[in-house]
Amino acid sequence: MMTRTKRTKVQRTRPILGVATDITSPRLRRAITRVFRAIQKHPKDWARLRRRVGGILLKDLIDNDPSCLGMWETDPRAKELFYAEQNQNPFMPKWRSLPLDPQFHVPGLILLSSEVDRLPWPRLVALIAHECGHVVTREREFEKRDGCSSEWASELCADRNAFRWGFEREIRAHAKHRDFTHHAVLPGEMIWENGIAFIVDRHFYLRRCPERDDPEN
């Protein structure tokens, strides 16, 4: 799940590869390390993650939702400063006509439910990789997929990054337990929005499938 904006203080213990955390569970720390090691093989992604993630925290309840196991949460103060700096800066990148979205640029925290340590190993790794996928998502990457649903576009970008890091098997195992109305689906699978059919291609784009539309829904 991507982003809310409620500031949380990091109660630090021993960092995991330089990232602050309050997590003491050896199993959960191993899972995070497993994901981080894979991301380190992609230096640009690792640099972006290190720049943006202020810490990884455990919470008893995320967003007051018992079903929410993980979330990337941006810093609200940083977002306000980002907006203010843009308003004062007359220069914008040549490739865009709208202001940059701070959601893709400011720092934040990865929040994990205190229940995640009970997950089977593949699902635990998938959850962490997916949230890290949100962190490194670039704004242009998101905008290319933002058409039918911004929520789906965000989730598809996160899964795409996790696939690139080598976690396809884990993401597919975890997907069986996710709410597809929020996460959409994975490459090769179909999803319907108000009876309109889409398939996710191997590049994580939603492609229309008019022949599979369901006019009764």
Side-chain angles (χ1 to χ4, degrees):
M1 178 178 289
M2 188 178 180
T3 193
R4 301 291 181 193
T5 54
K6 181 179 179 182
R7 192 173 179 82
T8 308
K9 184 178 180 181
V10 179
Q11 302 296 328
R12 298 193 178 195
T13 183
R14 184 164 58 89
I16 300 176
L17 298 182
V19 178
T21 185
D22 65 350
I23 293 171
T24 58
S25 162
R27 182 174 184 267
L28 187 46
R29 290 177 67 91
R30 284 198 304 273
I32 295 170
T33 301
R34 166 78 179 87
V35 173
F36 281 4
R37 290 294 188 194
I39 300 174
Q40 285 181 327
K41 297 177 182 178
H42 302 260
K44 291 183 179 179
D45 290 342
W46 179 245
R48 183 169 173 80
L49 185 142
R50 290 287 286 114
R51 184 170 63 251
R52 299 195 72 195
V53 177
I56 302 180
L57 301 181
L58 282 181
K59 291 195 71 176
D60 291 334
L61 193 64
I62 298 176
D63 201 30
N64 295 317
D65 181 359
S67 67
C68 181
L69 298 178
M71 176 182 291
W72 162 238
E73 176 183 86
T74 49
D75 185 330
R77 295 183 184 179
K79 291 179 73 172
E80 292 175 2
L81 289 172
F82 191 91
Y83 276 125
E85 290 173 358
Q86 282 199 95
N87 290 335
Q88 297 172 4
N89 185 354
F91 301 101
M92 292 295 296
K94 294 180 180 179
W95 54 268
R96 60 181 305 115
S97 59
L98 298 175
L100 297 171
D101 185 345
Q103 189 60 51
F104 299 97
H105 301 278
V106 302
L109 300 169
I110 294 176
L111 304 179
L112 298 176
S113 166
S114 55
E115 301 295 316
V116 298
D117 211 4
R118 301 178 182 180
L119 292 174
W121 181 258
R123 291 186 58 197
L124 176 59
V125 169
L127 174 68
I128 296 166
H130 177 84
E131 297 309 324
C132 289
H134 279 306
V135 176
V136 306
T137 295
R138 276 75 171 175
E139 189 165 3
R140 291 186 72 179
E141 174 188 1
F142 168 82
E143 289 179 340
K144 289 178 180 179
R145 291 166 177 81
D146 186 19
C148 174
S149 165
S150 293
E151 184 174 34
W152 286 355
S154 172
E155 300 301 316
L156 290 170
C157 287
D159 282 341
R160 174 179 174 271
N161 289 321
F163 269 46
R164 288 195 301 107
W165 300 329
F167 297 110
E168 177 177 353
R169 181 179 66 86
E170 290 84 353
I171 292 292
R172 288 193 181 278
H174 188 47
K176 301 173 184 177
H177 306 273
R178 304 190 307 191
D179 177 6
F180 78 92
T181 61
H182 167 65
H183 286 277
V185 293
L186 297 175
E189 300 175 349
M190 298 197 66
I191 192 168
W192 284 260
E193 172 71 7
N194 297 323
I196 299 176
F198 298 87
I199 191 169
V200 177
D201 70 16
R202 64 189 182 94
H203 300 293
F204 288 80
Y205 287 99
L206 284 169
R207 302 298 186 188
R208 281 281 289 115
C209 292
E211 69 278 6
R212 298 292 299 276
D213 286 350
D214 184 358
E216 296 183 1
N217 292 321

